[in-house]
Amino acid sequence: MRQLFQTITLPLACSLLWACSAHETKSPVETPGRPESAKTQLLEAGAATLQSKPPIEAINAYLDGFHFYNGHPDVQMEAHHYCSILNEDVIQCVIFDGNTKGAKIMGVEYIIDEKLFAGLPTREKAIWHSHGYEVSSGQLIAPGIPDPAEHALMARLAHTYGKTWHTWHTDQDKALPVGVPQLMMGFTADGQADPAMVEQRNGRLGVDAGKTKGERADIRIPDADPQADGWQHGNVIQITDPTGAHVHRSSTATPSTTNSRSSQ
């Protein structure tokens, strides 16, 4: 898989995959705090010039998809994944609520190949979600790369599983990362995702949903492990927030330039 990701980072005009896309997505919240001072800006510039950042520099893939809170399938949001490859079977992603400099880190997702997933304990599997439907439906995309490269990438991701935790719930209008981490899931069938949310994302990023779905018709989608996607089988796992700060609620629709979320 590493070789695949190295291939799709070309042409050289795009040093990172998301640099190929001119479509911006803004965070839905403004964080309170004082503007950066000249001193902070100077320190920031110096650090950028002098410090090496191997873990950050290893990020070479941008994926855009949708998540929902485990146990609250009607509360959904768009998620921007910036990923690096640990080896052929393991990917790690930082998840943002946009693709601009002001985007907030919403959480993390770990992605593993189906062979590794098969060896996990049964109780562990329930925490992970399958990616087959996300691929076949066209909900999961890799903005800005050539169609053949995206097709190859999606064919590989169709055989993987993800474990996702969100730590900053900006979809709930949280201007600060309050509350506790929440386990997220991915969609597994038609009719689950809010159509308005998907259409808002597709319109902003210039995605032709019908075309994308048709082009992926030849991708073999494996049957999901019956122990994955625990929420579908009544096995809902979630952290209870002792502060009561996290309230799952459907939100109002967001502007066309802002990270999309459900409004059901």
Side-chain angles (χ1 to χ4, degrees), residues 24-26 200-201 203-205 253-260:
E24 289 191 346
T25 301
K26 297 179 180 179
Q200 193 258 40
R201 190 281 306 267
R204 175 172 18 87
L205 297 184
T254 49
S256 60
T257 59
T258 306
N259 206 53
S260 187

Side-chain angles (χ1 to χ4, degrees), residues 206-228:
V207 176
D208 183 330
K211 178 175 178 287
T212 300
K213 187 174 182 179
E215 289 176 342
R216 297 181 184 178
D218 64 327
I219 294 178
R220 186 181 73 82
I221 306 298
D223 293 333
D225 188 304
Q227 303 301 328

Side-chain angles (χ1 to χ4, degrees), residues 105-184:
I105 296 176
M106 289 202 297
V108 296
E109 177 165 358
Y110 302 100
I111 299 173
I112 63 174
D113 181 82
E114 59 187 352
K115 295 185 294 294
L116 292 179
F117 183 81
L120 295 179
T122 298
R123 291 185 178 181
E124 172 70 22
K125 287 182 177 180
I127 306 175
W128 296 70
H129 60 272
S130 57
H131 287 142
Y133 176 78
E134 292 186 62
V135 170
S136 65
S137 66
Q139 288 182 5
L140 184 64
I141 60 174
I145 63 173
D147 290 344
E150 188 191 49
H151 187 278
L153 173 58
M154 293 301 156
R156 186 67 185 83
L157 290 174
H159 296 262
T160 63
Y161 293 81
K163 179 161 71 171
T164 304
W165 292 93
H166 281 195
T167 53
W168 191 341
H169 313 295
T170 62
D171 65 285
Q172 301 288 294
D173 296 322
K174 304 298 183 184
L176 291 173
V178 296
V180 297
Q182 297 284 292
L183 183 64
M184 312 304 291

